[in-house]
Amino acid sequence: ADTMLACELKKLHDDCPVTCESCPSSSPTIAPLPVTPAPFKFTLSPAGDGTCSCTDELGELQSEIDVLKATLAKVLKNLKTTPGPAPVSTPAPIVCVDKNEPWVIGNKNPRNWCGWARKQADTMLACDLKKLDGDCPVTCGICVP
């Protein structure tokens, strides 16, 4: 499988037909040598049976493939061990109970503001004006106990 990958990566099918399993069915012919020397050795087998090999080039390609595999393994390991984003905190649930004790808002005397809002003609407006939703969720209609 690595040999086939090397053949594809370096486009060696024409130059290394036996190794790359792409020999023509008829007897091979030797093409004229290119003007620029190729980075591999193309030789006929010693038996003279017309087969060829590209062992030097494939050896170098195998080394490159091994380096790529090692690099890929490191990347995958890092992906598995790198923590993802921190979990998003969910807001605290609203406790569906009005505050009973008196407290201060602004410079007013302490009072039970939930009771005060319930006594107003427009309770919702009173909740909005004094921002009582968090302290008086039942009175302000935020939740039902």
Side-chain angles (χ1 to χ4, degrees), residues 99-106 108-120 126-127 130 132 135-136 139:
K99 195 172 186 178
N100 284 325
E101 67 276 353
W103 73 96
V104 175
I105 293 180
K108 303 285 184 182
N109 288 331
R111 68 169 27 169
N112 181 324
W113 290 98
C114 299
W116 171 85
R118 277 192 299 274
K119 293 177 188 173
Q120 303 305 306
C127 287
K130 297 294 182 183
L132 298 175
D135 292 312
C136 309
T139 297

mmCIF file with all atom_site columns, all heavy atoms in Angstrom, residues 99-106 108-120 126-127 130 132 135-136 139:
data_model
loop_
_atom_site.group_PDB
_atom_site.id
_atom_site.type_symbol
_atom_site.label_atom_id
_atom_site.label_alt_id
_atom_site.label_comp_id
_atom_site.label_asym_id
_atom_site.label_entity_id
_atom_site.label_seq_id
_atom_site.pdbx_PDB_ins_code
_atom_site.Cartn_x
_atom_site.Cartn_y
_atom_site.Cartn_z
_atom_site.occupancy
_atom_site.B_iso_or_equiv
_atom_site.pdbx_formal_charge
_atom_site.auth_seq_id
_atom_site.auth_comp_id
_atom_site.auth_asym_id
_atom_site.auth_atom_id
_atom_site.pdbx_PDB_model_num
ATOM 1   N N   . LYS A 1 99  ? -38.365 37.390 48.611 1.00 0.00 ? 99  LYS A N   1
ATOM 2   C CA  . LYS A 1 99  ? -37.579 37.735 49.801 1.00 0.00 ? 99  LYS A CA  1
ATOM 3   C C   . LYS A 1 99  ? -38.548 38.245 50.868 1.00 0.00 ? 99  LYS A C   1
ATOM 4   O O   . LYS A 1 99  ? -39.426 39.057 50.574 1.00 0.00 ? 99  LYS A O   1
ATOM 5   C CB  . LYS A 1 99  ? -36.566 38.813 49.403 1.00 0.00 ? 99  LYS A CB  1
ATOM 6   C CG  . LYS A 1 99  ? -35.463 39.043 50.354 1.00 0.00 ? 99  LYS A CG  1
ATOM 7   C CD  . LYS A 1 99  ? -34.456 40.008 49.701 1.00 0.00 ? 99  LYS A CD  1
ATOM 8   C CE  . LYS A 1 99  ? -33.243 40.190 50.541 1.00 0.00 ? 99  LYS A CE  1
ATOM 9   N NZ  . LYS A 1 99  ? -32.272 41.080 49.900 1.00 0.00 ? 99  LYS A NZ  1
ATOM 10  N N   . ASN A 1 100 ? -38.415 37.772 52.114 1.00 0.00 ? 100 ASN A N   1
ATOM 11  C CA  . ASN A 1 100 ? -39.361 38.154 53.173 1.00 0.00 ? 100 ASN A CA  1
ATOM 12  C C   . ASN A 1 100 ? -38.850 39.268 54.078 1.00 0.00 ? 100 ASN A C   1
ATOM 13  O O   . ASN A 1 100 ? -39.634 40.011 54.634 1.00 0.00 ? 100 ASN A O   1
ATOM 14  C CB  . ASN A 1 100 ? -39.716 36.939 54.037 1.00 0.00 ? 100 ASN A CB  1
ATOM 15  C CG  . ASN A 1 100 ? -40.683 36.010 53.325 1.00 0.00 ? 100 ASN A CG  1
ATOM 16  O OD1 . ASN A 1 100 ? -41.548 36.471 52.582 1.00 0.00 ? 100 ASN A OD1 1
ATOM 17  N ND2 . ASN A 1 100 ? -40.531 34.720 53.535 1.00 0.00 ? 100 ASN A ND2 1
ATOM 18  N N   . GLU A 1 101 ? -37.539 39.350 54.275 1.00 0.00 ? 101 GLU A N   1
ATOM 19  C CA  . GLU A 1 101 ? -37.006 40.344 55.209 1.00 0.00 ? 101 GLU A CA  1
ATOM 20  C C   . GLU A 1 101 ? -36.847 41.701 54.532 1.00 0.00 ? 101 GLU A C   1
ATOM 21  O O   . GLU A 1 101 ? -36.700 41.772 53.314 1.00 0.00 ? 101 GLU A O   1
ATOM 22  C CB  . GLU A 1 101 ? -35.681 39.867 55.809 1.00 0.00 ? 101 GLU A CB  1
ATOM 23  C CG  . GLU A 1 101 ? -34.529 39.756 54.837 1.00 0.00 ? 101 GLU A CG  1
ATOM 24  C CD  . GLU A 1 101 ? -34.497 38.442 54.060 1.00 0.00 ? 101 GLU A CD  1
ATOM 25  O OE1 . GLU A 1 101 ? -35.280 37.526 54.327 1.00 0.00 ? 101 GLU A OE1 1
ATOM 26  O OE2 . GLU A 1 101 ? -33.691 38.385 53.124 1.00 0.00 ? 101 GLU A OE2 1
ATOM 27  N N   . PRO A 1 102 ? -36.862 42.778 55.280 1.00 0.00 ? 102 PRO A N   1
ATOM 28  C CA  . PRO A 1 102 ? -36.683 44.119 54.726 1.00 0.00 ? 102 PRO A CA  1
ATOM 29  C C   . PRO A 1 102 ? -35.252 44.322 54.222 1.00 0.00 ? 102 PRO A C   1
ATOM 30  O O   . PRO A 1 102 ? -34.307 43.715 54.732 1.00 0.00 ? 102 PRO A O   1
ATOM 31  C CB  . PRO A 1 102 ? -36.954 45.047 55.913 1.00 0.00 ? 102 PRO A CB  1
ATOM 32  C CG  . PRO A 1 102 ? -37.593 44.208 56.960 1.00 0.00 ? 102 PRO A CG  1
ATOM 33  C CD  . PRO A 1 102 ? -37.192 42.794 56.694 1.00 0.00 ? 102 PRO A CD  1
ATOM 34  N N   . TRP A 1 103 ? -35.089 45.153 53.197 1.00 0.00 ? 103 TRP A N   1
ATOM 35  C CA  . TRP A 1 103 ? -33.767 45.516 52.684 1.00 0.00 ? 103 TRP A CA  1
ATOM 36  C C   . TRP A 1 103 ? -33.822 46.936 52.141 1.00 0.00 ? 103 TRP A C   1
ATOM 37  O O   . TRP A 1 103 ? -34.891 47.493 51.918 1.00 0.00 ? 103 TRP A O   1
ATOM 38  C CB  . TRP A 1 103 ? -33.254 44.509 51.669 1.00 0.00 ? 103 TRP A CB  1
ATOM 39  C CG  . TRP A 1 103 ? -33.893 44.515 50.308 1.00 0.00 ? 103 TRP A CG  1
ATOM 40  C CD1 . TRP A 1 103 ? -33.419 45.154 49.210 1.00 0.00 ? 103 TRP A CD1 1
ATOM 41  C CD2 . TRP A 1 103 ? -35.082 43.864 49.900 1.00 0.00 ? 103 TRP A CD2 1
ATOM 42  N NE1 . TRP A 1 103 ? -34.243 44.939 48.140 1.00 0.00 ? 103 TRP A NE1 1
ATOM 43  C CE2 . TRP A 1 103 ? -35.275 44.141 48.543 1.00 0.00 ? 103 TRP A CE2 1
ATOM 44  C CE3 . TRP A 1 103 ? -36.031 43.063 50.557 1.00 0.00 ? 103 TRP A CE3 1
ATOM 45  C CZ2 . TRP A 1 103 ? -36.373 43.671 47.825 1.00 0.00 ? 103 TRP A CZ2 1
ATOM 46  C CZ3 . TRP A 1 103 ? -37.103 42.590 49.846 1.00 0.00 ? 103 TRP A CZ3 1
ATOM 47  C CH2 . TRP A 1 103 ? -37.268 42.879 48.487 1.00 0.00 ? 103 TRP A CH2 1
ATOM 48  N N   . VAL A 1 104 ? -32.637 47.511 51.957 1.00 0.00 ? 104 VAL A N   1
ATOM 49  C CA  . VAL A 1 104 ? -32.517 48.902 51.532 1.00 0.00 ? 104 VAL A CA  1
ATOM 50  C C   . VAL A 1 104 ? -32.359 48.969 50.022 1.00 0.00 ? 104 VAL A C   1
ATOM 51  O O   . VAL A 1 104 ? -31.586 48.221 49.431 1.00 0.00 ? 104 VAL A O   1
ATOM 52  C CB  . VAL A 1 104 ? -31.296 49.575 52.223 1.00 0.00 ? 104 VAL A CB  1
ATOM 53  C CG1 . VAL A 1 104 ? -31.078 50.985 51.703 1.00 0.00 ? 104 VAL A CG1 1
ATOM 54  C CG2 . VAL A 1 104 ? -31.462 49.573 53.724 1.00 0.00 ? 104 VAL A CG2 1
ATOM 55  N N   . ILE A 1 105 ? -33.100 49.892 49.391 1.00 0.00 ? 105 ILE A N   1
ATOM 56  C CA  . ILE A 1 105 ? -32.912 50.217 47.986 1.00 0.00 ? 105 ILE A CA  1
ATOM 57  C C   . ILE A 1 105 ? -32.636 51.714 47.948 1.00 0.00 ? 105 ILE A C   1
ATOM 58  O O   . ILE A 1 105 ? -33.440 52.514 48.448 1.00 0.00 ? 105 ILE A O   1
ATOM 59  C CB  . ILE A 1 105 ? -34.153 49.885 47.135 1.00 0.00 ? 105 ILE A CB  1
ATOM 60  C CG1 . ILE A 1 105 ? -34.381 48.374 47.086 1.00 0.00 ? 105 ILE A CG1 1
ATOM 61  C CG2 . ILE A 1 105 ? -33.979 50.432 45.716 1.00 0.00 ? 105 ILE A CG2 1
ATOM 62  C CD1 . ILE A 1 105 ? -35.585 47.942 46.264 1.00 0.00 ? 105 ILE A CD1 1
ATOM 63  N N   . GLY A 1 106 ? -31.494 52.073 47.353 1.00 0.00 ? 106 GLY A N   1
ATOM 64  C CA  . GLY A 1 106 ? -31.114 53.489 47.295 1.00 0.00 ? 106 GLY A CA  1
ATOM 65  C C   . GLY A 1 106 ? -30.922 54.046 48.688 1.00 0.00 ? 106 GLY A C   1
ATOM 66  O O   . GLY A 1 106 ? -30.292 53.429 49.533 1.00 0.00 ? 106 GLY A O   1
ATOM 67  N N   . LYS A 1 108 ? -33.544 54.801 50.681 1.00 0.00 ? 108 LYS A N   1
ATOM 68  C CA  . LYS A 1 108 ? -34.814 54.579 51.384 1.00 0.00 ? 108 LYS A CA  1
ATOM 69  C C   . LYS A 1 108 ? -34.576 53.716 52.621 1.00 0.00 ? 108 LYS A C   1
ATOM 70  O O   . LYS A 1 108 ? -33.633 52.945 52.685 1.00 0.00 ? 108 LYS A O   1
ATOM 71  C CB  . LYS A 1 108 ? -35.823 53.873 50.470 1.00 0.00 ? 108 LYS A CB  1
ATOM 72  C CG  . LYS A 1 108 ? -36.107 54.586 49.180 1.00 0.00 ? 108 LYS A CG  1
ATOM 73  C CD  . LYS A 1 108 ? -36.987 55.781 49.429 1.00 0.00 ? 108 LYS A CD  1
ATOM 74  C CE  . LYS A 1 108 ? -37.358 56.434 48.097 1.00 0.00 ? 108 LYS A CE  1
ATOM 75  N NZ  . LYS A 1 108 ? -38.159 57.609 48.267 1.00 0.00 ? 108 LYS A NZ  1
ATOM 76  N N   . ASN A 1 109 ? -35.461 53.857 53.599 1.00 0.00 ? 109 ASN A N   1
ATOM 77  C CA  . ASN A 1 109 ? -35.394 53.034 54.802 1.00 0.00 ? 109 ASN A CA  1
ATOM 78  C C   . ASN A 1 109 ? -35.642 51.577 54.430 1.00 0.00 ? 109 ASN A C   1
ATOM 79  O O   . ASN A 1 109 ? -36.338 51.286 53.452 1.00 0.00 ? 109 ASN A O   1
ATOM 80  C CB  . ASN A 1 109 ? -36.445 53.478 55.828 1.00 0.00 ? 109 ASN A CB  1
ATOM 81  C CG  . ASN A 1 109 ? -36.082 54.801 56.467 1.00 0.00 ? 109 ASN A CG  1
ATOM 82  O OD1 . ASN A 1 109 ? -34.905 55.126 56.592 1.00 0.00 ? 109 ASN A OD1 1
ATOM 83  N ND2 . ASN A 1 109 ? -37.094 55.558 56.848 1.00 0.00 ? 109 ASN A ND2 1
ATOM 84  N N   . PRO A 1 110 ? -35.081 50.634 55.202 1.00 0.00 ? 110 PRO A N   1
ATOM 85  C CA  . PRO A 1 110 ? -35.319 49.219 54.918 1.00 0.00 ? 110 PRO A CA  1
ATOM 86  C C   . PRO A 1 110 ? -36.816 48.910 54.948 1.00 0.00 ? 110 PRO A C   1
ATOM 87  O O   . PRO A 1 110 ? -37.540 49.401 55.796 1.00 0.00 ? 110 PRO A O   1
ATOM 88  C CB  . PRO A 1 110 ? -34.602 48.493 56.055 1.00 0.00 ? 110 PRO A CB  1
ATOM 89  C CG  . PRO A 1 110 ? -33.654 49.473 56.621 1.00 0.00 ? 110 PRO A CG  1
ATOM 90  C CD  . PRO A 1 110 ? -34.234 50.832 56.368 1.00 0.00 ? 110 PRO A CD  1
ATOM 91  N N   . ARG A 1 111 ? -37.252 48.135 54.004 1.00 0.00 ? 111 ARG A N   1
ATOM 92  C CA  . ARG A 1 111 ? -38.641 47.685 53.958 1.00 0.00 ? 111 ARG A CA  1
ATOM 93  C C   . ARG A 1 111 ? -38.718 46.393 53.173 1.00 0.00 ? 111 ARG A C   1
ATOM 94  O O   . ARG A 1 111 ? -37.797 46.031 52.462 1.00 0.00 ? 111 ARG A O   1
ATOM 95  C CB  . ARG A 1 111 ? -39.556 48.753 53.359 1.00 0.00 ? 111 ARG A CB  1
ATOM 96  C CG  . ARG A 1 111 ? -39.334 49.010 51.911 1.00 0.00 ? 111 ARG A CG  1
ATOM 97  C CD  . ARG A 1 111 ? -40.372 49.865 51.208 1.00 0.00 ? 111 ARG A CD  1
ATOM 98  N NE  . ARG A 1 111 ? -41.080 50.794 52.031 1.00 0.00 ? 111 ARG A NE  1
ATOM 99  C CZ  . ARG A 1 111 ? -41.862 51.760 51.587 1.00 0.00 ? 111 ARG A CZ  1
ATOM 100 N NH1 . ARG A 1 111 ? -42.011 51.932 50.294 1.00 0.00 ? 111 ARG A NH1 1
ATOM 101 N NH2 . ARG A 1 111 ? -42.504 52.549 52.382 1.00 0.00 ? 111 ARG A NH2 1
ATOM 102 N N   . ASN A 1 112 ? -39.829 45.728 53.263 1.00 0.00 ? 112 ASN A N   1
ATOM 103 C CA  . ASN A 1 112 ? -40.070 44.540 52.458 1.00 0.00 ? 112 ASN A CA  1
ATOM 104 C C   . ASN A 1 112 ? -40.608 45.039 51.125 1.00 0.00 ? 112 ASN A C   1
ATOM 105 O O   . ASN A 1 112 ? -41.791 45.349 50.990 1.00 0.00 ? 112 ASN A O   1
ATOM 106 C CB  . ASN A 1 112 ? -41.065 43.608 53.147 1.00 0.00 ? 112 ASN A CB  1
ATOM 107 C CG  . ASN A 1 112 ? -41.299 42.344 52.331 1.00 0.00 ? 112 ASN A CG  1
ATOM 108 O OD1 . ASN A 1 112 ? -41.318 42.380 51.106 1.00 0.00 ? 112 ASN A OD1 1
ATOM 109 N ND2 . ASN A 1 112 ? -41.493 41.242 53.024 1.00 0.00 ? 112 ASN A ND2 1
ATOM 110 N N   . TRP A 1 113 ? -39.734 45.118 50.143 1.00 0.00 ? 113 TRP A N   1
ATOM 111 C CA  . TRP A 1 113 ? -40.089 45.707 48.863 1.00 0.00 ? 113 TRP A CA  1
ATOM 112 C C   . TRP A 1 113 ? -41.042 44.826 48.063 1.00 0.00 ? 113 TRP A C   1
ATOM 113 O O   . TRP A 1 113 ? -41.809 45.330 47.240 1.00 0.00 ? 113 TRP A O   1
ATOM 114 C CB  . TRP A 1 113 ? -38.828 46.019 48.053 1.00 0.00 ? 113 TRP A CB  1
ATOM 115 C CG  . TRP A 1 113 ? -38.061 47.164 48.661 1.00 0.00 ? 113 TRP A CG  1
ATOM 116 C CD1 . TRP A 1 113 ? -36.989 47.089 49.484 1.00 0.00 ? 113 TRP A CD1 1
ATOM 117 C CD2 . TRP A 1 113 ? -38.365 48.547 48.508 1.00 0.00 ? 113 TRP A CD2 1
ATOM 118 N NE1 . TRP A 1 113 ? -36.585 48.345 49.868 1.00 0.00 ? 113 TRP A NE1 1
ATOM 119 C CE2 . TRP A 1 113 ? -37.413 49.265 49.275 1.00 0.00 ? 113 TRP A CE2 1
ATOM 120 C CE3 . TRP A 1 113 ? -39.341 49.270 47.819 1.00 0.00 ? 113 TRP A CE3 1
ATOM 121 C CZ2 . TRP A 1 113 ? -37.406 50.647 49.366 1.00 0.00 ? 113 TRP A CZ2 1
ATOM 122 C CZ3 . TRP A 1 113 ? -39.332 50.648 47.903 1.00 0.00 ? 113 TRP A CZ3 1
ATOM 123 C CH2 . TRP A 1 113 ? -38.371 51.335 48.661 1.00 0.00 ? 113 TRP A CH2 1
ATOM 124 N N   . CYS A 1 114 ? -41.069 43.547 48.314 1.00 0.00 ? 114 CYS A N   1
ATOM 125 C CA  . CYS A 1 114 ? -42.016 42.662 47.621 1.00 0.00 ? 114 CYS A CA  1
ATOM 126 C C   . CYS A 1 114 ? -43.441 43.003 48.072 1.00 0.00 ? 114 CYS A C   1
ATOM 127 O O   . CYS A 1 114 ? -44.358 43.119 47.241 1.00 0.00 ? 114 CYS A O   1
ATOM 128 C CB  . CYS A 1 114 ? -41.709 41.194 47.907 1.00 0.00 ? 114 CYS A CB  1
ATOM 129 S SG  . CYS A 1 114 ? -40.075 40.667 47.358 1.00 0.00 ? 114 CYS A SG  1
ATOM 130 N N   . GLY A 1 115 ? -43.603 43.175 49.374 1.00 0.00 ? 115 GLY A N   1
ATOM 131 C CA  . GLY A 1 115 ? -44.922 43.566 49.911 1.00 0.00 ? 115 GLY A CA  1
ATOM 132 C C   . GLY A 1 115 ? -45.325 44.935 49.379 1.00 0.00 ? 115 GLY A C   1
ATOM 133 O O   . GLY A 1 115 ? -46.488 45.164 49.028 1.00 0.00 ? 115 GLY A O   1
ATOM 134 N N   . TRP A 1 116 ? -44.370 45.852 49.330 1.00 0.00 ? 116 TRP A N   1
ATOM 135 C CA  . TRP A 1 116 ? -44.639 47.196 48.803 1.00 0.00 ? 116 TRP A CA  1
ATOM 136 C C   . TRP A 1 116 ? -45.137 47.106 47.358 1.00 0.00 ? 116 TRP A C   1
ATOM 137 O O   . TRP A 1 116 ? -46.127 47.740 46.997 1.00 0.00 ? 116 TRP A O   1
ATOM 138 C CB  . TRP A 1 116 ? -43.360 48.044 48.893 1.00 0.00 ? 116 TRP A CB  1
ATOM 139 C CG  . TRP A 1 116 ? -43.469 49.363 48.186 1.00 0.00 ? 116 TRP A CG  1
ATOM 140 C CD1 . TRP A 1 116 ? -43.996 50.509 48.704 1.00 0.00 ? 116 TRP A CD1 1
ATOM 141 C CD2 . TRP A 1 116 ? -43.067 49.653 46.853 1.00 0.00 ? 116 TRP A CD2 1
ATOM 142 N NE1 . TRP A 1 116 ? -43.946 51.507 47.759 1.00 0.00 ? 116 TRP A NE1 1
ATOM 143 C CE2 . TRP A 1 116 ? -43.374 51.001 46.606 1.00 0.00 ? 116 TRP A CE2 1
ATOM 144 C CE3 . TRP A 1 116 ? -42.480 48.909 45.832 1.00 0.00 ? 116 TRP A CE3 1
ATOM 145 C CZ2 . TRP A 1 116 ? -43.121 51.622 45.386 1.00 0.00 ? 116 TRP A CZ2 1
ATOM 146 C CZ3 . TRP A 1 116 ? -42.222 49.526 44.632 1.00 0.00 ? 116 TRP A CZ3 1
ATOM 147 C CH2 . TRP A 1 116 ? -42.537 50.870 44.408 1.00 0.00 ? 116 TRP A CH2 1
ATOM 148 N N   . ALA A 1 117 ? -44.440 46.304 46.508 1.00 0.00 ? 117 ALA A N   1
ATOM 149 C CA  . ALA A 1 117 ? -44.822 46.192 45.100 1.00 0.00 ? 117 ALA A CA  1
ATOM 150 C C   . ALA A 1 117 ? -46.210 45.582 44.949 1.00 0.00 ? 117 ALA A C   1
ATOM 151 O O   . ALA A 1 117 ? -46.992 46.013 44.097 1.00 0.00 ? 117 ALA A O   1
ATOM 152 C CB  . ALA A 1 117 ? -43.787 45.347 44.344 1.00 0.00 ? 117 ALA A CB  1
ATOM 153 N N   . ARG A 1 118 ? -46.567 44.613 45.795 1.00 0.00 ? 118 ARG A N   1
ATOM 154 C CA  . ARG A 1 118 ? -47.895 43.966 45.722 1.00 0.00 ? 118 ARG A CA  1
ATOM 155 C C   . ARG A 1 118 ? -49.014 44.961 46.016 1.00 0.00 ? 118 ARG A C   1
ATOM 156 O O   . ARG A 1 118 ? -50.108 44.834 45.499 1.00 0.00 ? 118 ARG A O   1
ATOM 157 C CB  . ARG A 1 118 ? -47.972 42.801 46.712 1.00 0.00 ? 118 ARG A CB  1
ATOM 158 C CG  . ARG A 1 118 ? -47.372 41.510 46.194 1.00 0.00 ? 118 ARG A CG  1
ATOM 159 C CD  . ARG A 1 118 ? -47.727 40.313 47.074 1.00 0.00 ? 118 ARG A CD  1
ATOM 160 N NE  . ARG A 1 118 ? -47.237 40.434 48.439 1.00 0.00 ? 118 ARG A NE  1
ATOM 161 C CZ  . ARG A 1 118 ? -46.008 40.069 48.846 1.00 0.00 ? 118 ARG A CZ  1
ATOM 162 N NH1 . ARG A 1 118 ? -45.161 39.558 47.980 1.00 0.00 ? 118 ARG A NH1 1
ATOM 163 N NH2 . ARG A 1 118 ? -45.662 40.216 50.100 1.00 0.00 ? 118 ARG A NH2 1
ATOM 164 N N   . LYS A 1 119 ? -48.718 45.987 46.839 1.00 0.00 ? 119 LYS A N   1
ATOM 165 C CA  . LYS A 1 119 ? -49.731 46.970 47.233 1.00 0.00 ? 119 LYS A CA  1
ATOM 166 C C   . LYS A 1 119 ? -49.923 48.079 46.196 1.00 0.00 ? 119 LYS A C   1
ATOM 167 O O   . LYS A 1 119 ? -50.867 48.848 46.293 1.00 0.00 ? 119 LYS A O   1
ATOM 168 C CB  . LYS A 1 119 ? -49.347 47.601 48.571 1.00 0.00 ? 119 LYS A CB  1
ATOM 169 C CG  . LYS A 1 119 ? -49.389 46.619 49.713 1.00 0.00 ? 119 LYS A CG  1
ATOM 170 C CD  . LYS A 1 119 ? -48.927 47.275 50.994 1.00 0.00 ? 119 LYS A CD  1
ATOM 171 C CE  . LYS A 1 119 ? -48.783 46.243 52.103 1.00 0.00 ? 119 LYS A CE  1
ATOM 172 N NZ  . LYS A 1 119 ? -48.189 46.820 53.294 1.00 0.00 ? 119 LYS A NZ  1
ATOM 173 N N   . GLN A 1 120 ? -49.042 48.154 45.220 1.00 0.00 ? 120 GLN A N   1
ATOM 174 C CA  . GLN A 1 120 ? -49.137 49.213 44.211 1.00 0.00 ? 120 GLN A CA  1
ATOM 175 C C   . GLN A 1 120 ? -50.237 48.889 43.208 1.00 0.00 ? 120 GLN A C   1
ATOM 176 O O   . GLN A 1 120 ? -50.544 47.717 42.951 1.00 0.00 ? 120 GLN A O   1
ATOM 177 C CB  . GLN A 1 120 ? -47.799 49.388 43.481 1.00 0.00 ? 120 GLN A CB  1
ATOM 178 C CG  . GLN A 1 120 ? -46.627 49.701 44.392 1.00 0.00 ? 120 GLN A CG  1
ATOM 179 C CD  . GLN A 1 120 ? -46.877 50.927 45.253 1.00 0.00 ? 120 GLN A CD  1
ATOM 180 O OE1 . GLN A 1 120 ? -47.205 52.000 44.751 1.00 0.00 ? 120 GLN A OE1 1
ATOM 181 N NE2 . GLN A 1 120 ? -46.749 50.763 46.572 1.00 0.00 ? 120 GLN A NE2 1
ATOM 182 N N   . ALA A 1 126 ? -44.118 48.718 39.321 1.00 0.00 ? 126 ALA A N   1
ATOM 183 C CA  . ALA A 1 126 ? -43.337 48.873 40.552 1.00 0.00 ? 126 ALA A CA  1
ATOM 184 C C   . ALA A 1 126 ? -42.116 47.942 40.525 1.00 0.00 ? 126 ALA A C   1
ATOM 185 O O   . ALA A 1 126 ? -41.008 48.344 40.907 1.00 0.00 ? 126 ALA A O   1
ATOM 186 C CB  . ALA A 1 126 ? -44.216 48.575 41.765 1.00 0.00 ? 126 ALA A CB  1
ATOM 187 N N   . CYS A 1 127 ? -42.286 46.710 40.048 1.00 0.00 ? 127 CYS A N   1
ATOM 188 C CA  . CYS A 1 127 ? -41.161 45.761 39.935 1.00 0.00 ? 127 CYS A CA  1
ATOM 189 C C   . CYS A 1 127 ? -40.096 46.309 38.992 1.00 0.00 ? 127 CYS A C   1
ATOM 190 O O   . CYS A 1 127 ? -38.899 46.223 39.278 1.00 0.00 ? 127 CYS A O   1
ATOM 191 C CB  . CYS A 1 127 ? -41.668 44.416 39.439 1.00 0.00 ? 127 CYS A CB  1
ATOM 192 S SG  . CYS A 1 127 ? -42.594 43.470 40.664 1.00 0.00 ? 127 CYS A SG  1
ATOM 193 N N   . LYS A 1 130 ? -38.202 49.542 40.544 1.00 0.00 ? 130 LYS A N   1
ATOM 194 C CA  . LYS A 1 130 ? -37.284 49.216 41.652 1.00 0.00 ? 130 LYS A CA  1
ATOM 195 C C   . LYS A 1 130 ? -36.398 48.018 41.342 1.00 0.00 ? 130 LYS A C   1
ATOM 196 O O   . LYS A 1 130 ? -35.614 47.584 42.179 1.00 0.00 ? 130 LYS A O   1
ATOM 197 C CB  . LYS A 1 130 ? -38.074 48.951 42.940 1.00 0.00 ? 130 LYS A CB  1
ATOM 198 C CG  . LYS A 1 130 ? -38.851 50.136 43.436 1.00 0.00 ? 130 LYS A CG  1
ATOM 199 C CD  . LYS A 1 130 ? -37.926 51.263 43.868 1.00 0.00 ? 130 LYS A CD  1
ATOM 200 C CE  . LYS A 1 130 ? -38.743 52.425 44.398 1.00 0.00 ? 130 LYS A CE  1
ATOM 201 N NZ  . LYS A 1 130 ? -37.900 53.556 44.760 1.00 0.00 ? 130 LYS A NZ  1
ATOM 202 N N   . LEU A 1 132 ? -37.030 44.712 40.939 1.00 0.00 ? 132 LEU A N   1
ATOM 203 C CA  . LEU A 1 132 ? -37.287 43.712 41.975 1.00 0.00 ? 132 LEU A CA  1
ATOM 204 C C   . LEU A 1 132 ? -37.389 42.274 41.454 1.00 0.00 ? 132 LEU A C   1
ATOM 205 O O   . LEU A 1 132 ? -37.617 41.365 42.240 1.00 0.00 ? 132 LEU A O   1
ATOM 206 C CB  . LEU A 1 132 ? -38.598 44.067 42.709 1.00 0.00 ? 132 LEU A CB  1
ATOM 207 C CG  . LEU A 1 132 ? -38.603 45.398 43.452 1.00 0.00 ? 132 LEU A CG  1
ATOM 208 C CD1 . LEU A 1 132 ? -39.985 45.674 44.006 1.00 0.00 ? 132 LEU A CD1 1
ATOM 209 C CD2 . LEU A 1 132 ? -37.565 45.410 44.556 1.00 0.00 ? 132 LEU A CD2 1
ATOM 210 N N   . ASP A 1 135 ? -35.365 39.709 43.499 1.00 0.00 ? 135 ASP A N   1
ATOM 211 C CA  . ASP A 1 135 ? -35.724 39.558 44.903 1.00 0.00 ? 135 ASP A CA  1
ATOM 212 C C   . ASP A 1 135 ? -37.182 39.162 45.103 1.00 0.00 ? 135 ASP A C   1
ATOM 213 O O   . ASP A 1 135 ? -37.548 38.577 46.128 1.00 0.00 ? 135 ASP A O   1
ATOM 214 C CB  . ASP A 1 135 ? -35.454 40.867 45.661 1.00 0.00 ? 135 ASP A CB  1
ATOM 215 C CG  . ASP A 1 135 ? -33.973 41.170 45.759 1.00 0.00 ? 135 ASP A CG  1
ATOM 216 O OD1 . ASP A 1 135 ? -33.206 40.260 46.127 1.00 0.00 ? 135 ASP A OD1 1
ATOM 217 O OD2 . ASP A 1 135 ? -33.578 42.315 45.459 1.00 0.00 ? 135 ASP A OD2 1
ATOM 218 N N   . CYS A 1 136 ? -38.019 39.487 44.119 1.00 0.00 ? 136 CYS A N   1
ATOM 219 C CA  . CYS A 1 136 ? -39.453 39.223 44.234 1.00 0.00 ? 136 CYS A CA  1
ATOM 220 C C   . CYS A 1 136 ? -39.977 38.510 42.983 1.00 0.00 ? 136 CYS A C   1
ATOM 221 O O   . CYS A 1 136 ? -40.898 39.015 42.316 1.00 0.00 ? 136 CYS A O   1
ATOM 222 C CB  . CYS A 1 136 ? -40.205 40.546 44.425 1.00 0.00 ? 136 CYS A CB  1
ATOM 223 S SG  . CYS A 1 136 ? -39.552 41.599 45.739 1.00 0.00 ? 136 CYS A SG  1
ATOM 224 N N   . THR A 1 139 ? -43.945 37.902 43.076 1.00 0.00 ? 139 THR A N   1
ATOM 225 C CA  . THR A 1 139 ? -44.709 39.147 42.975 1.00 0.00 ? 139 THR A CA  1
ATOM 226 C C   . THR A 1 139 ? -44.586 39.755 41.589 1.00 0.00 ? 139 THR A C   1
ATOM 227 O O   . THR A 1 139 ? -45.559 40.253 41.037 1.00 0.00 ? 139 THR A O   1
ATOM 228 C CB  . THR A 1 139 ? -44.207 40.157 44.034 1.00 0.00 ? 139 THR A CB  1
ATOM 229 O OG1 . THR A 1 139 ? -44.445 39.600 45.336 1.00 0.00 ? 139 THR A OG1 1
ATOM 230 C CG2 . THR A 1 139 ? -44.912 41.491 43.922 1.00 0.00 ? 139 THR A CG2 1
#
